[in-house]
Amino acid sequence: MFKFKDERPNIKKVEIPVKQGTITTFGISMMTCACVLSLRGLPVIAKEELTMFFYIGFSTLLFLIPVSLVSAELGGAFGDRAGGVYTWVGEAFNKRTGFIAIWLEWAQTIVLYPTVLGFASGAFAYALGSPSLASNGMFVGVFSIFIYWVATFIVFRGSAVIQKVTSYGFLLGTVIPGLLIIGFGSAWMIMGEKIAFLHPDPNNVAVARIVDGKVAPRIFPYFNSITDVAFLAGIVLLFSGVESQAVHANELKNPAKQFPQAMLLAALIIFSIFTLGALSVGAVVPGKEINVQSGLMQAFYRIFNKFHLGGLTYISGFLVTFGAVASVLSWLSGPSKGLLVTSKDGILPDLMSKTNAKGIQTGILYFQGLFVTILASLYIFLEDVNIAFFLLTVLTVGLYLIMYMLMYAAAIRLKYTHPNLPRSYKVPGGNTGMLIVAGVGFLAVLFAFVLAFVPPSQLPIGSPASYVGMVIGGTAFFTGLPFLIFYVKKKRGINLSGKPNV
């Protein structure tokens, strides 16, 4: 196994101070949930009406569960080492492949931030009592850029502050609004109000079918062409990120035992709130009217007005905004910290290796801030905020799913090349169990990856060629950057161990 050691002459070694016990099992579980469980996913899922069960089932059984099991085993095995997927994939293959994996996990967050903050801007618009601002590209873009930089400077204060803000942010801004939409949505149905998903649009064959001359909701998606299920790629992304907080595992008091427990608790919470929350949104707002960016607030607005509690719309808007910002904080502190570990192996460019007195990766955060600012500007320049929102979401999928394929391949390889590696948690079934779980997960990810390049029939994306071109171009750009770094290192005569080539 390789060791993280910087042997380059005259280059200052980057220290990443770690104090065990600074994060609790509940804390890292909440940080993981804050990364994964963004309420922005509820309207995206609810838009599929009752076919949502197919999409949730696929994402849970073939994605969330395999990722949780595999990352729990890998996180427990390498809980005493920083780096997350960089360490996992690097141990299985080599540092170069490990760097590509952590780079992709980090790069997808650059594209993710504008989508999360775009959702936050919609919630904030309702909090201000001006729902129309949710569709105003200038407002959404400027809000996203401003809040991103506020979150970045909070991250500079260290892990203890991040944990506190994300834990409170998740509970106040995700759990409470999630329980509110589930509770009031249930009351809506119990009190006999019209349940939208039981009365689908008869002209929309994707969610409606004709049975004995009557319109009935579909349970399984209508499949006439692959574009009819292309939305699956965006929904799978909503369940991603369980593994991202593995970089904090060595800050737990007992990483090998606590990290798997935290992952399993997070997976249970994620599944429950996504399923019940999406059903509640879909019960209140007809699928054709759901805005994928601000659909949650649409549901709150209708429910609270129906129950003469309009003031709760403003409060919910502020809470949801806080929860989205907490999600951004979790992502800012996770993958970028894993990427910093690569600087100790001489891979990361020196400009991105800078840290502050608290060991926070300031060089990486400033660098990614530049890209986030550019991408968030899409809201300003694209006419339809919904299309900009989904385009950024799908671009994120393309990057992230490549990383997951590398992670699954690494998990299988490590099972055979490192059979004696201490594992506090093991995927049931030994080598065969890992082969099945990781193999199924790999195939599901590969399928979703292909769908990411297919224009969805559910959105008016304009020119399919332009859509595909933008997704391919963005994916190729971010995926190609690691190879550019390798090329520059080689030209400078520095190999991936940090040693000058002889």
Side-chain angles (χ1 to χ4, degrees), residues 283-296:
V284 177
V285 186
K288 66 179 180 179
E289 298 178 20
I290 294 177
N291 183 304
V292 295
Q293 178 212 4
S294 58
L296 175 63

